[in-house]
Amino acid sequence: MSVFGKLFGTGGKGGKGPSPQEAIQKLRDTEEMLTKKQEFLEKKIEQELTTARKHGTKNKRAALQALKRKKRYEKQLAQIDGTLSTIEFQREALENANTNTEVLKNMGFAAKAMKAAHDNMDIDKVDELMQDIADQQELAQEISDAISKPVGFADDFDEDELIAELEELEQEELDKNLLEVHGPETVPLPNVPAASLPAKPGKYYWQYTVDIFTEATFDHRTGDTFGL
């Protein structure tokens, strides 16, 4: 059995391959395992480095052995880093492929549903239906217009006659208002002073004032009123 066969748990050639979800989960498990291995190796490298510093020149043989082990651990750590990068890339590609598969599957379902919905449709029948709807809407508009039109009221009045009649009514109202006027109100006038006003030097621009109600004339120079 190949390494990938052991990794994904496949059987022989005739065995059914794992589903994308199963493969993705196994890759994640492998990543988790290798990450723990990394942490272990990093701790071992730190320990060996501490051992080499501890012995130093006192026990050169022990220090060299510690450095050799550190180098082996570092080599394993580098290999794990590369393996993790490969697994991460493979997992992402598999997740994308799984997403695309689900998208295509759903699009296929939608296409089949749309085809099934259109199987019972005839484009000619659709056109006929839309024409019937348009005809019914037009008929409904005509009915609404007929209902909203006043019945028994003709619109063929002569506008000039209406204007002439309106002017006659206005004139009658004006004449009526004039007849109701009984003359001006009697307003008490102030008493005329008996004494003559002193002559004011200078030129008079006016001398007489006529009362329009009593038709009396008042002489501003002498103070006399006449014409009553």
Side-chain angles (χ1 to χ4, degrees):
M1 184 181 296
S2 64
V3 176
F4 287 103
K6 293 180 180 179
L7 179 62
F8 295 119
T10 58
K13 293 182 179 180
K16 184 179 179 181
S19 65
Q21 292 82 1
E22 293 174 347
I24 291 171
Q25 185 59 45
K26 285 187 174 296
L27 288 173
R28 287 175 178 170
D29 294 341
T30 303
E31 285 182 89
E32 184 178 357
M33 178 190 66
L34 292 177
T35 300
K36 292 180 180 180
K37 182 69 175 178
Q38 275 184 324
E39 295 174 354
F40 172 76
L41 290 174
E42 289 172 353
K43 290 180 181 179
K44 296 295 292 182
I45 291 172
E46 188 65 26
Q47 290 175 0
E48 297 300 337
L49 185 61
T50 301
T51 301
R53 288 173 179 173
K54 178 180 179 181
H55 292 288
T57 56
K58 297 179 181 180
N59 191 345
K60 184 179 291 186
R61 181 181 177 86
L64 290 175
Q65 290 296 328
L67 290 176
K68 287 180 181 180
R69 289 191 296 271
K70 183 178 85 65
K71 290 293 183 181
R72 290 199 302 268
Y73 294 148
E74 289 176 346
K75 184 177 180 180
Q76 294 179 28
L77 185 61
Q79 291 175 346
I80 291 175
D81 289 339
T83 302
L84 277 173
S85 297
T86 302
I87 291 177
E88 183 179 359
F89 173 79
Q90 187 179 17
R91 176 178 54 78
E92 291 176 353
L94 189 56
E95 288 174 345
N96 292 334
N98 185 45
T99 301
N100 293 335
T101 300
E102 292 297 324
V103 170
L104 290 175
K105 185 186 298 183
N106 294 333
M107 291 176 66
F109 288 153
K112 290 179 181 179
M114 185 178 294
K115 183 178 179 182
H118 290 163
D119 283 342
N120 297 326
M121 292 185 182
D122 187 352
I123 187 62
D124 295 332
K125 293 182 179 180
V126 173
D127 290 338
E128 292 177 1
L129 177 61
M130 296 307 296
Q131 185 60 43
D132 290 342
I133 293 175
D135 293 341
Q136 293 302 320
Q137 289 179 343
E138 183 177 358
L139 178 59
Q141 185 63 42
E142 292 177 356
I143 294 174
S144 298
D145 293 340
I147 293 174
S148 61
K149 184 176 181 181
V151 178
F153 296 92
D155 296 335
D156 55 350
F157 297 112
D158 188 350
E159 187 173 354
D160 293 336
E161 291 182 2
L162 295 177
I163 294 175
E165 185 176 353
L166 178 60
E167 292 177 351
E168 291 179 1
L169 294 175
E170 292 176 350
Q171 186 62 41
E172 291 178 0
E173 185 67 21
L174 181 60
D175 295 341
K176 181 179 179 181
N177 292 335
L178 291 175
L179 292 175
E180 291 178 355
V181 176
H182 299 292
E185 295 183 2
T186 303
V187 179
L189 297 175
N191 296 326
V192 179
S196 299
L197 295 176
K200 190 175 183 181
K203 183 179 178 179
Y204 282 92
Y205 291 97
W206 48 267
Q207 181 175 353
Y208 303 103
T209 300
V210 179
D211 191 330
I212 62 173
F213 298 106
T214 62
E215 297 182 357
T217 303
F218 179 72
D219 189 340
H220 290 274
R221 182 176 297 176
T222 61
D224 296 330
T225 301
F226 53 89
L228 292 175

